[in-house]
Amino acid sequence: RATLIEALSDEHLGVRLEAIKALRNHEMDGTPLAAILRGPDRALHAGAADALGGMLGEDVTPALIEALSSAYTTITRRKAARSLAKQRDVRGVGPLLNTIGDPNPNMRVASARALSQLVGHLNYSDLGRASESLGTGLHHPNPTVQLHAAYNLGMLGKPEGAAILAEALTNVEPAL
């Protein structure tokens, strides 16, 4: 493992890319790959985002959330969305919901899929927080975001989510 982490700094791009692929197969602390995702070497961003799905480390989810921003390439952003779903971290719900309103249709689809996967695998203790994040999506100006927020609120199966959805259906959002 130490050799692979050293290879992340190799002068040859091919070596760095192969090191990322090899690290993906190790259940480990994703902190070194999170640093690469945040680093200046754009050629490594997509591979790092892809490999981080399911890895441990305090910095992993925040790095993936940052990678959803338009400062990254679409392929990196799509892989970050997919990896966020694998993290099963409630902090990813709001950012994924926001990217459903992205101008890029590929990003919208990737975010919608990732959000549904993430919501389907949250711990019971995180469902209340997810309901709150999804509830804010019901007031988003983009109807597509509203639709996915409503869908995922229903998928949570939590009374708080049902109450938020019922209020929106009767009082707030005629588009739903």
Side-chain angles (χ1 to χ4, degrees):
R1 178 177 175 247
T3 305
L4 291 173
I5 291 174
E6 286 176 28
L8 294 173
S9 301
D10 193 271
E11 65 184 71
H12 295 56
L13 175 62
V15 171
R16 294 191 310 267
L17 289 171
E18 289 302 317
I20 288 173
K21 288 179 190 175
L23 284 169
R24 178 184 315 148
N25 297 323
H26 291 77
E27 288 189 31
M28 59 168 260
D29 178 9
T31 303
L33 290 177
I36 286 176
L37 182 57
R38 288 181 162 148
D41 195 344
R42 294 175 64 93
L44 300 179
H45 288 170
D50 191 39
L52 281 168
M55 286 192 172
L56 304 175
E58 286 183 28
D59 209 28
V60 173
T61 296
L64 289 168
I65 290 170
E66 287 174 29
L68 293 175
S69 79
S70 60
Y72 288 83
T73 65
T74 300
I75 188 110
T76 297
R77 295 173 70 214
R78 287 174 45 210
K79 289 182 180 207
R82 187 170 50 226
S83 287
L84 266 174
K86 293 176 185 175
Q87 288 305 108
R88 298 181 180 185
D89 188 328
V90 71
R91 294 177 292 174
V93 172
L96 283 170
L97 184 61
N98 289 333
T99 56
I100 290 173
D102 196 86
N104 184 309
N106 293 322
M107 193 62 217
R108 291 193 300 264
V109 170
S111 295
R113 284 183 183 154
L115 181 62
S116 293
Q117 290 169 356
L118 174 60
V119 166
H121 291 99
L122 287 175
N123 294 321
Y124 185 79
S125 61
D126 291 332
L127 295 182
R129 188 167 164 201
S131 295
E132 292 173 17
S133 293
L134 292 168
T136 63
L138 296 174
H139 305 286
H140 195 280
N142 185 322
T144 304
V145 174
Q146 294 172 10
L147 173 72
H148 284 280
Y151 172 79
N152 283 289
L153 271 168
M155 294 302 292
L156 285 177
K158 182 120 172 106
E160 293 90 339
I164 293 167
L165 187 55
E167 180 197 342
L169 289 171
T170 57
N171 300 326
V172 182
E173 304 298 334
L176 293 175

